[in-house]
Amino acid sequence: MSRKVTNYVKIEGNLRWESIWYLAKRELLAYVRNKTRIITSIAQSILFLFVFGLGGFNTQTPSINGVEVSSLAFTASGIAAMAVLFSGVFGGLGIIRDKLFGFMNELLVAPVSRRTLMIGKTLGVALQTLVQFMLITILSASLGFYGYDLSLIWRVAATIPAGLLFSLGVVGIGMTVSTRLTDFQGFGLIQTFLIMPMFWLSGALILFPEQFRLIMMLNPISYGVDIFRFILLGVSVFPFWLDLLVLTGFGALLISIGAYSFTRMEIN
Amino acid sequence: MTENVIEVRNLTKVYEEGDVLAVDDISFNIKKGEIFALLGPNGAGKTTTISMLSTLLRPTEGEAMVNSHKIREEPDMIRKSIGVVFQEPSLDGDMTGWENLELHAVLYGMPKKERREKIREVLELVSLNDKADMYVKNYSGGMKRRLEIARGLIHTPRVLFLDEPTLGLDPQTRRKIWEKIIELNSGELNMTILITTHYMEEADELADRICIMDHGKIIALDTSENLKRQLSGDIIEIVFEEIEDFSKIPHIISELKKIQGVKDISMGTKHENNQGSENQFKMPPGMKNINPEIMRKKMNEILLDPEKFLKATQKFPMTAQMFEKAPYDVKERVANQFKDSELIEDLPPKIKNTLKKILSGEYKKEKQMREPGLTISCENGGKLISDIIQKINDLNSIKIKTIHMHNPTLEDVFLFYTGSQIREESSGKMEGIKNHIKMRQLRQK
């Protein structure tokens, strides 16, 4: 008997853009139709904003590299990054749902390459994440957290590409994990041991003193938070080029791992 | 000259993890326009076979051609030319029926103009056109199944794979789906259909040919009619009027055996037994390759052990029927076994009531019948039956009380091929379930 470990059959072939678009559209439609999800995430953001922005957890005005910034602006930009992290990872985890409810079978038996499926799914979740993130950014910008001046419009606009770049890596995390999980029980595990530490150690809501900066530097999420601060507040912990570099590398790496896991994924 | 749409050669699948031989060297052909059923108990390897043919799984050994494409070499060509309806639901509940079909059409590379028309057409075919804009999560089980069949048809496949299409549906819905399947197969569409099922009547009703699988192997492959014929043609059961002189019976048997077409005659019928209670168990007709001695021993074992008896009633609904027909002394013996045992509560209600009645003395001892009977297995029973009656009347020795003829059912065939295996596994039901779960987990990895 031959020792062949792989059970899946690979479909070679080019990317099919129409398929990718329809797959992405499916994710977007699912997001828009799920009103409770939109409402809960906004409510959660407002709660965080209220507690951390006004509640006095930050007893002194937060300062980034010696520059004092408004507590509300600091918190709002952190929450925007939080939206990307949560929505991206859980969107990527949506694959488990497809697997459990059998829809993945329908996708896998279709005559399209796994890469097409993977890109469609990733794009969909990234766009979903972007919508979520923009809702919060526009809300906080219109409340005046980032000040009212002429540059506000382009600053908000500039967060779009930054948010998209950031979300790719995050979606990659969700994808990679979900191709290995077979039920929802892993969700709590991921929440506790992956998302929460990454979020709290990123400086999104609480900035660590200088001597603990290394923790932040090792966490890729910190650079996502930082790039938003750079764009919206004009000050950042790390230089802009470093943010860009790390996020690009992180995104490319996680998407590749995600794609690899996805093409190797096996199912009934 | 009919072309083979599917050709399977020595197909084998081993799940490395767990070392399960799911499909063991199977070969068969499916002709164009045929409905071909894979019939077998759970875990027989049906789904694995269909997964390999639909190029979801890679075979460990062997090769198969679907629409003259090799499954190893041209999976995408095969996928375009087949429609698959999975055993488990595979719809997105958060999309409408129409959207589910539209995504499918896009994935199968259909041009935009064609899509709209085709989706409408298939929705019409499964009578769901008025439900197209409903979210699929609000569909009933039958509607979901029909939508899945419709989806499988959008890209006009040449073969349709249906994996347990009526699993868990009510009888009316099942019948509706059967009608749709027959409709697809007949007329202009003349679609080739490969269906897996563990419902005997489904295979009997639909399939042109039936392939019985068990433990990954093909154990029988023929038309439903032939499978039944193979078993033993027709069964004629004759019960005679009460007689005093049993010595006439052997003479009658030897005379009847002279009639052409009579294959086998045995004393006694299902309905009546004139032998001792030890031998009261009668083999189902045609199960010649199972040693009756072993069966009898098994049977006695079951009758003596309440726990085994309980297990048997749970595993084989047949047991309940057999019990009903058993002579009083056998029933009484079983009742005594269950005396003071709590296991009695777990028995099927019918048996439980009988046993309780016996124990409380309510059940009057039946008058034991003293009427001899014969079971004749023969070809073409309809024609022979008059010859047989004639012959018996000619002998002028004994009067016929009742005469009864039936065909072996597909269930007889199925049990004949797969039943023995299940019976010999003493570890019972749990083992079977565990195996099934194991197989499923392996498939999902």
Side-chain angles (χ1 to χ4, degrees), chain B residues 3 9 21 23 49 55 82 109 113 121 158 214 221 235 248 259 261 312 336 353 356 369 378 406 417:
Chain B
E3 75 182 286
R9 295 278 162 271
L21 182 57
V23 172
T49 307
T55 79
I82 60 170
K113 278 186 225 153
E121 192 187 312
R158 295 175 61 204
D214 198 18
L221 199 176
I235 312 279
K248 284 174 185 168
I259 300 172
N336 286 331
N353 289 338
K356 279 190 171 166
M369 292 173 99
C378 56
H406 73 269
Y417 283 116

Side-chain angles (χ1 to χ4, degrees), chain B residues 155-177:
Chain B
H155 55 285
T156 28
R158 295 175 61 204
V159 197
L160 189 60
F161 290 6
L162 302 170
D163 195 0
E164 303 274 5
T166 62
L167 194 71
L169 297 180
D170 61 75
Q172 284 103 321
T173 317
R174 186 191 299 181
R175 211 145 264 287
K176 256 186 218 159
I177 290 189

